[in-house]
Amino acid sequence: MMVDYTACPPEHLLDALENAGRTPERALLQACLDRQDELTPGLLKMLQEGVEQGDDEGWDDDDPRWYRDIHAGLLLLAFREEKALPIFIEAFGDEMRENLLEWVDTSFQHYGPPAVEPLIALLRDRKAFSWGRIRAAGWLADIARLHPETRTRVVEALRARLPRLDEEGRFVIPPAYDEDQVELWTFVAFDLAELKDTASQPQVLALYDAELIDEMVMGGADDYLEMFSEDRRLPKPFDLLAFYHPPPRVARVPAPEAPADDGERAASALPGYGSAVTFVRAEQKVGRNDPCPCGSGKKYKRCCGKP
């Protein structure tokens, strides 16, 4: 039986969302998008409760409510609801809440300028989850590319996370660092390169000289410098409906360029011979700057797509 979500009161929509499982119906999502003002208080509460309780609920593994904070968070992201930003930042800084970070990983830059200062605060927090800090740097770089008025502030914040050089340009080795710190320096260097920040090049090249750049992520120094001549496409706008219900990708296979023999040449005269065939791609094609499908967290061109 089809549910007419447009006629549901707000509390019924929230209940349906909480019990929707991994993928809410398209009609339910559209109804929620159309009722932003009515649903935002309940969504904020749902997100906050999910972040606070985490895995402490006594639900079965297949209980649909495990996804409630995910759905609430993605709707609030679609709304660019600024009251949700402190909740997100709290979750991103906690390794035990990594699930939420993974769901919004490719979309959080949609918040735009209001997210800049909260993300900078997360980036500066040395006690926060290391991958949360790394993703904060990446989102900041994307926001700066989408909103040029934020570039100066973002570049300043990213540069501040790299070790400094002394007055003679020599690398000042930090008194203590670990693998997480090296990863942070690497991704920050990557983000600054994508922002074409040449002023940070001496710091990054000094990190290379000290072998404090993860070349599995970044490549060598030549790869780093090459990035300044590359143009990366801007992130696509966040589309909540397409996020949950992506359209099938269809590609076309071109006809053979030439028949191999007389028999095939004769067959090519038959109606329909060599016509293009459509098929649905089983998996989305991975772009060079997309996250690597192996799950490493690195960009495809710096991981499995590296020549």
Side-chain angles (χ1 to χ4, degrees):
M1 179 180 176
M2 294 291 292
V3 178
D4 182 9
Y5 291 109
T6 62
C8 290
E11 58 270 22
H12 288 185
L13 287 177
L14 291 169
D15 183 69
L17 192 68
E18 187 172 25
N19 290 280
R22 183 181 179 87
T23 308
E25 296 177 58
R26 187 182 182 91
L28 172 58
L29 293 168
Q30 186 62 66
C32 291
L33 288 171
D34 293 339
R35 309 272 288 277
Q36 177 177 347
D37 291 342
E38 295 175 85
L39 295 182
T40 292
L43 293 171
L44 286 168
K45 180 181 179 182
M46 193 182 299
L47 176 63
Q48 182 70 66
E49 289 179 349
V51 169
E52 289 178 352
Q53 295 170 354
D55 297 334
D56 294 336
E57 295 285 1
W59 299 328
D60 294 334
D61 290 345
D62 59 353
D63 193 302
R65 289 173 292 179
W66 286 119
Y67 294 95
R68 62 178 184 166
D69 57 330
I70 303 298
H71 303 326
L74 286 167
L75 275 162
L76 291 165
L77 170 58
F79 296 157
R80 293 190 176 94
E81 175 53 57
E82 294 184 32
K83 291 181 180 178
L85 282 169
I87 308 174
F88 276 118
I89 298 302
E90 176 188 352
F92 298 156
D94 184 350
E95 185 174 4
M96 299 303 294
R97 306 293 180 262
E98 186 177 6
N99 188 42
L100 181 60
L101 187 155
E102 291 176 348
W103 275 77
V104 305
D105 186 43
T106 60
S107 309
F108 199 73
Q109 67 275 355
H110 177 73
Y111 255 108
V116 167
E117 293 304 326
L119 288 173
I120 288 176
L122 174 59
L123 180 61
R124 288 174 171 170
D125 187 355
R126 296 179 180 275
K127 296 181 180 180
F129 177 38
S130 61
W131 187 244
R133 298 178 71 199
I134 287 170
R135 290 309 300 129
W139 291 323
L140 284 166
D142 281 339
I143 292 171
R145 294 194 303 122
L146 290 165
H147 303 274
E149 71 275 15
T150 67
R151 186 184 184 282
T152 299
R153 177 68 176 126
V154 167
V155 168
E156 175 188 72
L158 293 175
R159 285 181 193 160
R161 303 276 61 81
L162 297 177
R164 65 183 180 86
L165 303 178
D166 63 19
E167 294 180 356
E168 297 181 6
R170 293 175 302 192
F171 181 60
V172 179
I173 299 178
Y177 59 86
D178 55 17
E179 183 178 337
D180 288 342
Q181 187 66 62
V182 171
E183 289 293 290
L184 179 62
W185 291 334
T186 301
F187 279 96
V188 167
F190 188 100
D191 296 324
L192 285 167
E194 292 206 320
L195 289 171
K196 307 296 188 283
D197 179 49
T198 56
S200 57
Q201 282 186 0
Q203 290 169 278
V204 175
L205 293 174
L207 283 169
Y208 269 108
D209 289 342
E211 298 184 349
L212 292 176
I213 288 286
D214 184 351
E215 296 192 12
M216 288 295 293
V217 174
M218 189 78 151
D222 290 341
D223 297 306
Y224 160 70
L225 293 172
E226 183 185 346
M227 292 179 64
F228 286 82
S229 62
E230 295 177 347
D231 289 323
R232 178 189 171 199
R233 63 180 180 269
L234 292 173
K236 295 180 179 179
F238 177 52
D239 183 337
L240 181 74
L241 298 179
F243 181 90
Y244 279 108
H245 300 279
R249 281 180 165 265
V250 178
R252 300 187 71 83
V253 178
E257 293 183 3
D261 55 36
D262 289 343
E264 194 169 12
R265 186 177 299 110
S268 68
L270 297 175
Y273 181 87
S275 59
V277 178
T278 61
F279 70 95
V280 177
R281 187 185 296 277
E283 297 180 354
Q284 182 174 344
K285 183 179 179 181
V286 181
R288 292 181 70 244
N289 290 297
D290 292 339
C292 190
C294 76
S296 66
K298 306 178 180 74
K299 292 181 184 294
Y300 179 68
K301 68 181 180 182
R302 305 297 179 193
C303 191
C304 296
K306 188 176 179 182

